[in-house]
Amino acid sequence: MSSRSLMAANWKMYKTVEQSLAYARELVRRLEEEPVFDVEQLICPTMPALYPLVQRLAGTSVRVGAQTLDLGQEGANTGAVSGYLVREAGAEYVIVGHSERRQLYGEDDTLVRDKSVAAAQARLTPILCVGETRDQRQAGQTDAVIVRQVEPVIEALASDADLVIAYEPLWAIGTGVLPEPKEANRVAEIIRQVVDRIRPNFSRQVRILYGGSVNRDNICDFAAQPGLDGALVGGASLDVGHWLQLNRFWREVRA
Ligand code: PGA
């Protein structure tokens, strides 16, 4: 298991370029005063803010990622942004298969698999999002859903690919309703088992995050779970003070 914690901020469709840059300025200023060691911080802004944010955060410890990518490299694909273009803009990570992409834009497991491969080929680290709906959980299908979502990606990725998997139960995203941290840990173990069944020992190079309604009141309980390597944070990442607190709390628990 990789020991480096990863805290990833998913800004979704929030923040203009100006607002993103103001956040970055403030983040860098506060990190200079009081650095957060041993936690890799990643910000995933809107597409228009990606390149300006990369420029602003160059030379700092904060990484930048994209929230999605399209297949291919270059071509007559109006409106599309390929992994290649995202990487050239300076992103190092890309979120793949977020439930909002699956639900709002019809991304299925096959497309998510292909996007994960495209990300790796573009030298981006995919953050593969997996998770069950409320109905699936109530029907006892959580583990089967996770296996179905993880398996094709591991089968398709090259053995030296970097990979992050975020367990995000759909019913916990933006709702304030959370799974027991121990249950998130159990699912993380299921993910590791699936990964290693397909490719022995591959899970050692995969970091597993929890995502869904993480905030400063609950982060310590998730940080205390040994199977989790970080968190994917939506709403609570939009305020720079709250975001820094999350990073500090995670670090304190893991130190
Ligand atoms: P949330 O979002 O923290 O606002 O629940 C998490 C996510 O969608 O990745």
Side-chain angles (χ1 to χ4, degrees), residues 20 24 32 42 46 68 83 128 163 217 219 237:
S20 303
E32 276 167 4
L42 170 70
T46 62
T68 186
L128 169 68
L163 176 65
D217 296 328
I219 186 132
S237 71

Side-chain angles (χ1 to χ4, degrees), residues 32-205:
E32 276 167 4
E33 279 171 12
E34 204 183 335
V36 183
F37 298 106
D38 306 323
V39 175
E40 187 176 354
Q41 287 191 48
L42 170 70
I43 308 279
C44 301
T46 62
M47 280 296 184
L50 184 75
Y51 183 65
L53 215 59
V54 165
Q55 300 287 90
R56 182 61 191 81
L57 292 169
T60 75
S61 60
V62 183
R63 315 258 69 90
V64 178
Q67 297 174 16
T68 186
L69 77 163
D70 291 297
L71 299 179
Q73 185 165 344
E74 293 178 308
N77 299 50
T78 301
V81 184
S82 68
Y84 165 76
L85 294 175
V86 164
R87 175 70 213 187
E88 287 300 300
E92 293 175 64
Y93 291 82
V94 61
I95 299 171
V96 181
H98 190 281
S99 63
E100 286 153 17
R101 300 291 316 173
R102 292 180 193 255
Q103 289 185 317
L104 300 174
Y105 302 96
E107 296 194 4
D108 61 12
D109 289 335
T110 306
L111 183 57
V112 170
R113 177 199 65 195
D114 292 349
K115 286 189 170 192
S116 302
V117 172
Q121 284 171 347
R123 293 179 296 113
L124 292 161
T125 300
I127 301 178
L128 169 68
C129 296
V130 299
E132 80 286 0
T133 63
R134 189 187 306 273
D135 286 351
Q136 288 166 333
R137 171 154 287 267
Q138 281 164 358
Q141 295 167 350
T142 298
D143 296 6
V145 170
I146 300 298
V147 170
R148 199 184 68 224
Q149 292 175 336
V150 171
E151 242 173 20
V153 175
I154 305 301
E155 277 165 1
L157 275 183
S159 56
D160 60 350
D162 279 330
L163 176 65
V164 177
I165 299 178
Y167 171 51
E168 298 208 308
L170 270 63
W171 47 275
I173 295 176
T175 59
V177 183
L178 289 104
E180 287 296 323
K182 275 197 167 43
E183 170 59 11
N185 193 67
R186 189 192 68 80
V187 175
E189 290 309 328
I190 299 282
I191 292 173
R192 286 212 164 76
Q193 283 167 21
V194 183
V195 168
D196 286 338
R197 180 162 49 70
I198 295 163
R199 184 163 296 155
N201 299 324
F202 190 58
S203 76
R204 284 194 205 145
Q205 67 198 63

Side-chain angles (χ1 to χ4, degrees), residues 10 12 98 100 168 172-174 212-214 232-235:
N10 175 11
K12 308 193 179 185
H98 190 281
E100 286 153 17
E168 298 208 308
I173 295 176
S213 296
V214 170
L232 178 55
V233 185

